Amino acid sequence: MPDVNIAAFRQEVRDFVAANLPDDIREKVSRYRDLDKSDYVRWQKILQDRGWLLGGWASEWGGAGWSPIQQLAFLQESGIAGAPMIIPYGVSMVGPVIQRFGTAEQKARHIPGIVSSDIWWCQGYSETGAGSDLASLKTSARRDGDHFVVNGSKMWTTEAHWADWMHCLVRTDASGRKQDGISFLLIDMQTPGITIRPIVTIDGQHHTNQIFFDDVRVPAENLVGEEGAGWKIAKFLLSHERLSISDTGPKLRLMNRLRDMNRAVQADPHVDPMLKATLARRLADVAVEIETLRAMEHYFVEGWDMGRPQGADASILKVRGTEILQKLSILATDLQGVHAASHDPDHLHRTADRPDTPAEIASAMTHQYLYGRCWSIFGGTNEVQRNLIARGALG
Ligand SMILES: Cc1cc2nc3c(=O)[nH]c(=O)nc-3n(C[C@H](O)[C@H](O)[C@H](O)COP(=O)(O)OP(=O)(O)OC[C@H]3O[C@@H](n4cnc5c(N)ncnc54)[C@H](O)[C@@H]3O)c2cc1C
């Protein structure tokens, strides 16, 4: 691959987002409103037209074949510039799995829909009683002729209500070591017997769901890899998320917002000088922490680029990244002063026909704070990540 001038590429990404992000999406992002599925699809199609949706995919799959450092540069710059995230369930999760482990038919059937963003996926891993201890999952798939019959329930399935398909871990054998009886199935969400129950989280929004499977008949051709090889595939899939794990772009954007909010506080003659000094110090502290996270992330990713083993790097980035994001979101609410308790979930969906009131601005920040509680839970809790760091890095 030719050498890439990363500084020039960063500028190219900034220019591209400035010129091509649709105004209505930019407006929603800048006001910290919720995006709809159609907003994500629209942006992903714009990226795909530019050849940038599949940055990490190899060229044989229509990808850009970027190095990890170039992928990181893209994620950071587009995040700072306010572009929506690329929804990972197709592009970063099941896509690479199908490329690596899928049959020729699975590749031909599923890859085009991921590339075009016309087919949307969700991830059915967690269950009640099988989150951190994922290998204890119980949703069963019993072979019946040329089908599997799936029964059980998946918990916390994000965006299942938007999804056409689920990539799902199921138990096909309960007799031996628990990791050995797990298989990886692709399930059409329109199949009879699937019920989606919305879960409204603490922020008052519907992001996630519980899914029930009652005698759901899934064609055996939808099994990826060997029966019983699901655990190995699940681990492969998780390793593909390492680059977005510390998510520095959106943090740097939020940090810029906090700087503006702090400037307004510092200029307000009614705010107590001691309070001003404390808020300014907290902002400076978190600014230092973000910069150290950015430096650490760059060091790790450069190492992966040169073939250095990952070890506990991704776990360290996950823990530090989520701690800093939660700190930023707490500071964001404190900077709202008397409006800090405002929270109106409906506001997140309102059209931007006038400037936001102070209470509405505060409400958007409160939403960041409330939703931010789950950042240290999903993708493996911070407690479990610390166990991995203890084992992998400290010995
Ligand atoms: C908003 C949201 C969206 C999610 N989206 C998805 C999704 O799309 N698909 C999906 O499959 N899953 C999803 N999840 C599930 C997520 O991955 C799990 O919630 C997570 O793995 C934790 O599992 P659990 O909730 O069962 O908690 P548990 O595993 O029961 O943990 C409870 C507490 O015990 C601690 N704990 C558990 N084991 C240990 C240990 N060995 N050492 C120290 N502490 C421990 C945990 O850290 C936690 O504090 C989502 C979760 C949330 C909150």
Side-chain angles (χ1 to χ4, degrees):
M1 195 174 25
D3 270 353
V4 175
N5 179 333
I6 293 294
F9 176 67
R10 282 180 180 275
Q11 186 60 49
E12 208 183 333
V13 176
R14 286 195 284 272
D15 293 345
F16 181 79
V17 176
N20 293 283
L21 183 62
D23 287 342
D24 59 323
I25 299 181
R26 185 189 309 282
E27 182 73 27
K28 283 186 184 180
V29 173
S30 74
R31 294 181 187 221
Y32 284 88
R33 299 232 160 119
D34 262 12
L35 300 188
D36 301 324
K37 176 181 173 182
S38 61
D39 297 322
Y40 290 107
V41 171
R42 219 166 2 131
W43 178 240
Q44 291 195 183
K45 283 180 178 287
I46 291 170
L47 285 179
Q48 177 56 10
D49 286 346
R50 177 65 185 83
W52 283 357
L53 176 65
L54 312 166
W57 287 24
S59 53
E60 62 176 302
W61 299 106
W66 290 339
S67 68
I69 280 288
Q70 194 173 356
Q71 291 175 58
L72 180 67
F74 173 79
L75 289 171
Q76 281 182 345
E77 293 305 334
S78 56
I80 295 170
M85 68 184 288
I86 295 173
I87 299 296
Y89 307 109
V91 172
S92 320
M93 293 186 176
V94 76
V97 161
I98 292 172
Q99 289 164 13
R100 171 76 174 267
F101 301 99
T103 61
E105 289 74 23
Q106 288 168 349
K107 290 170 187 167
R109 179 168 187 193
H110 295 295
I111 296 292
I114 296 171
V115 170
S116 66
S117 299
D118 288 327
I119 300 296
W120 220 244
W121 289 79
C122 62
Q123 180 187 36
Y125 274 27
S126 307
E127 300 178 4
T128 47
S132 303
D133 183 15
L134 184 59
S136 291
L137 64 90
K138 291 194 170 60
T139 295
S140 66
R142 177 180 50 81
R143 188 72 186 243
D144 179 23
D146 55 3
H147 281 74
F148 287 98
V149 181
V150 178
N151 280 287
S153 171
K154 290 288 169 183
M155 193 61 183
W156 304 119
T157 318
T158 301
E159 290 160 14
H161 50 301
W162 288 355
D164 304 291
W165 283 78
M166 171 188 282
H167 55 92
C168 188
L169 293 179
V170 291
R171 181 156 301 287
T172 40
D173 183 356
S175 63
R177 205 174 69 103
K178 57 188 181 181
Q179 287 84 353
D180 296 336
I182 294 173
S183 299
F184 194 101
L185 265 191
L186 308 178
I187 302 180
D188 182 340
M189 293 297 282
Q190 294 302 319
T191 318
I194 297 180
T195 308
I196 302 179
R197 185 176 73 89
I199 298 174
V200 174
T201 39
I202 190 173
D203 57 340
Q205 303 293 304
H206 173 203
H207 311 277
T208 193
N209 306 275
Q210 183 168 16
I211 313 295
F212 298 93
F213 300 92
D214 292 302
D215 286 333
V216 174
R217 293 185 70 80
V218 178
E221 69 209 29
N222 290 2
L223 176 73
V224 180
E226 301 288 313
E227 196 171 316
W231 191 245
K232 181 179 76 176
I233 298 175
K235 288 203 292 191
F236 168 87
L237 181 151
L238 292 174
S239 73
H240 272 257
E241 285 199 277
R242 62 187 184 166
L243 278 167
S244 53
I245 208 151
S246 57
D247 215 14
T248 35
K251 285 185 190 66
L252 290 160
R253 189 167 66 84
L254 185 55
M255 183 70 209
N256 289 340
R257 165 64 74 96
L258 263 53
R259 284 185 217 274
D260 291 344
M261 285 159 51
N262 181 53
R263 265 191 285 276
V265 169
Q266 300 297 331
D268 187 340
H270 303 296
V271 178
D272 184 313
M274 286 234 297
L275 190 55
K276 287 184 183 177
T278 304
L279 289 168
R281 183 189 50 73
R282 285 173 57 194
L283 188 67
D285 281 349
V286 75
V288 171
E289 289 183 87
I290 292 184
E291 283 312 311
T292 52
L293 175 72
R294 181 147 68 161
M296 186 165 65
E297 181 182 44
H298 191 270
Y299 168 77
F300 285 157
V301 174
E302 207 169 46
W304 303 340
D305 228 354
M306 293 186 299
R308 191 173 61 79
Q310 246 193 85
D313 298 356
S315 296
I316 294 170
L317 291 174
K318 166 88 200 309
V319 172
R320 280 310 284 149
T322 51
E323 283 175 349
I324 292 171
L325 200 44
Q326 288 176 344
K327 216 174 208 183
L328 279 169
S329 69
I330 293 170
L331 185 52
T333 55
D334 289 349
L335 280 162
Q336 305 293 333
V338 292
H339 297 292
S342 304
H343 185 232
D344 173 7
D346 290 342
H347 165 69
L348 297 167
H349 304 284
R350 217 161 278 151
T351 43
D353 50 0
R354 55 167 170 73
D356 288 344
T357 64
E360 286 171 338
I361 295 171
S363 184
M365 288 300 127
T366 307
H367 173 252
Q368 290 295 307
Y369 167 72
L370 293 172
Y371 187 64
R373 302 304 92 200
C374 71
W375 291 322
S376 49
I377 300 172
F378 57 50
T381 68
N382 279 14
E383 291 77 21
V384 168
Q385 301 296 341
R386 286 194 187 90
N387 286 346
L388 294 172
I389 295 166
R391 249 181 275 135
L394 307 177

